[in-house]
Amino acid sequence: MEPLDAQVLRQSLQWQAQGQRVLLVTVARTWGSSPRPPGSLMALREDGLTVGSVSGGCVEDDLVHRLRQGDIGLDAATDRPRLVRYGVTTEQAHRFGLPCGGTLELMLEPLSTHSRLAETLAALERRQSLQRTLDLRSGAVTLAPGAHDAVPHWADEHHFVSQLGPQARLLLIGAGDLSRYLAGMARGMGFDVTVCDPRPEQADWAEPGIGFSREMPDDLVQRLRPDRRTAVVAVSHDPKLDDLALIDALQTEAFYVGAIGSRRNSATRRQRLREHFDLSDAQLDRLRGPAGLPIGSKTPAEIALSILAEVVATKNGVAPASAPSSAPSQPSTQAVTHP
């Protein structure tokens, strides 16, 4: 599943190619509680069709209503980008479903060839982060290298700056039941997922939207060069596969590197990596093992849930402190079979 922001941009391009006028809506700022964070996108077509989301639905409905009433223009030749604000009053907060008196500020941008959506999508497909600067006087957009985790801001009174980054990526070392659950869950949450297992006894995958590689895992890690939007999780239970991949992953910018196993096996792995490979203490401290949050997980599906929860928490900057003693003890799942 493609990330929602990329879906919005891609659909907007398709609508433009069909001759439709399109309004791109960006969450510029929020105060208090907000259903969607700054930077969230939606697109509004001239007939009222939408893709993406900037709230729980009420704001989208109001934007469609205002479009049909003529309060919002989509003609880039005559209509300039502008801000609208929702939730300023208590009545508005209740009307538009903004919790706890939250306030939502939206940038409304009529799209044109100057919006540079095709270039933006191409950069995201190359896993590049972009800074997108919109000139409110002309509607023209300039692109520059950016940081995906930066928030939208104003460069000055005429220039609105937003950030777009590549899809989060998950690399799983080892096929099997746990990988199937973990890959499926991650794919549903918008991760780009690749499973790697060179062992001939593991059947080829035919999972829609999930990549499969027969490369040696360390070769794949070196080829993919994990970045700050990549997580690597070893689930093969085979040190010959897991260790080399972990060694390479721990020396990259991957935001999460983890491996399953019991607490005893995880401690043995750390000692093995410390004694036989040239890894620093700081690099070894990045290794999450046993991977996953302590939710008492026993089945492959529950273990997958615990691992993905920790991966997402780390991606969002709210991961618990790494401590082997606090992680769940995970049984082997390779022998478990499911229909």
Side-chain angles (χ1 to χ4, degrees):
M1 181 181 296
E2 191 174 40
L4 185 56
D5 288 350
Q7 291 180 41
V8 171
L9 298 179
R10 194 176 304 281
Q11 186 63 72
S12 298
L13 271 174
Q14 292 177 3
W15 285 340
Q16 284 185 293
Q18 296 166 1
Q20 300 274 358
R21 293 180 300 175
V22 183
L23 185 76
L24 183 67
V25 184
T26 304
V27 178
R29 289 187 293 181
T30 63
W31 293 265
S33 299
S34 173
R36 296 281 282 141
S40 299
L41 300 177
M42 70 165 284
L44 173 59
R45 201 169 74 176
E46 60 183 301
D47 60 358
L49 194 62
T50 67
V51 61
S53 174
V54 294
S55 80
C58 294
V59 170
E60 287 86 346
D61 291 344
D62 186 69
L63 289 172
V64 172
H65 174 74
R66 294 175 67 176
L67 170 68
R68 290 171 174 166
Q69 293 295 314
D71 296 336
I72 294 176
L74 283 75
D75 189 343
T78 57
D79 299 306
R80 294 290 174 256
R82 65 187 179 100
L83 281 174
V84 297
R85 185 176 291 185
Y86 288 91
V88 176
T89 67
T90 301
E91 184 275 332
Q92 282 182 311
H94 287 297
R95 177 185 172 195
F96 298 114
L98 296 173
C100 304
T103 299
L104 191 65
E105 192 173 74
L106 304 177
M107 175 61 66
L108 308 185
E109 175 190 350
L111 294 178
S112 70
T113 55
H114 300 298
S115 303
R116 304 179 68 175
L117 295 192
E119 294 173 70
T120 301
L121 268 174
L124 296 182
E125 290 170 352
R126 295 193 298 269
R127 300 197 60 78
Q128 296 175 350
S129 293
L130 285 181
Q131 175 177 285
R132 186 175 186 270
T133 302
L134 172 66
D135 189 327
L136 272 66
R137 296 165 297 184
S138 65
V141 168
T142 56
L143 302 175
H148 178 72
D149 54 355
V151 297
H153 64 276
W154 292 92
D156 55 49
E157 63 178 319
H158 299 300
H159 295 90
F160 174 68
V161 181
S162 59
Q163 307 287 337
L164 292 165
Q167 183 176 10
R169 180 170 59 178
L170 175 63
L171 173 58
L172 295 173
I173 308 304
D177 291 307
L178 175 56
S179 288
R180 290 187 187 277
Y181 282 108
L182 189 49
M185 291 179 186
R187 186 63 179 158
M189 295 187 67
F191 281 77
D192 176 18
V193 183
T194 298
V195 178
C196 178
D197 200 321
R199 295 174 294 187
E201 61 270 22
Q202 292 292 342
D204 287 336
W205 277 38
E207 303 289 339
I210 296 175
F212 184 78
S213 172
R214 289 288 188 186
E215 295 175 74
M216 288 300 295
D218 54 319
D219 291 339
L220 182 63
V221 170
Q222 292 178 23
R223 180 172 66 82
L224 293 182
R225 293 180 295 178
D227 53 24
R228 289 179 293 177
R229 298 280 293 165
T230 303
V232 181
V233 183
V235 298
S236 79
H237 291 288
D238 185 344
K240 296 188 299 295
L241 300 180
D242 289 348
D243 284 7
L244 293 178
L246 292 172
I247 291 164
D248 286 336
L250 289 169
Q251 299 179 75
T252 70
E253 293 185 321
F255 72 85
Y256 181 98
V257 181
I260 66 167
S262 66
R263 294 185 179 89
R264 177 179 296 178
N265 287 342
S266 295
T268 300
R269 178 189 297 113
R270 289 175 182 275
Q271 188 64 27
R272 185 169 63 242
L273 296 181
R274 187 184 305 276
E275 291 179 353
H276 299 290
F277 301 97
D278 188 22
L279 292 177
S280 67
D281 288 341
Q283 289 169 333
L284 279 172
D285 286 344
R286 297 182 57 215
L287 178 61
R288 303 265 181 171
L293 299 179
I295 62 172
S297 50
K298 300 296 183 183
T299 66
E302 290 179 350
I303 295 170
L305 176 63
S306 75
I307 293 172
L308 187 59
E310 186 175 52
V311 169
V312 172
T314 304
K315 177 178 71 70
N316 293 342
V318 294
S322 178
S325 61
S326 66
S329 180
Q330 296 154 342
S332 171
T333 61
Q334 296 299 305
V336 180
T337 58
H338 296 270

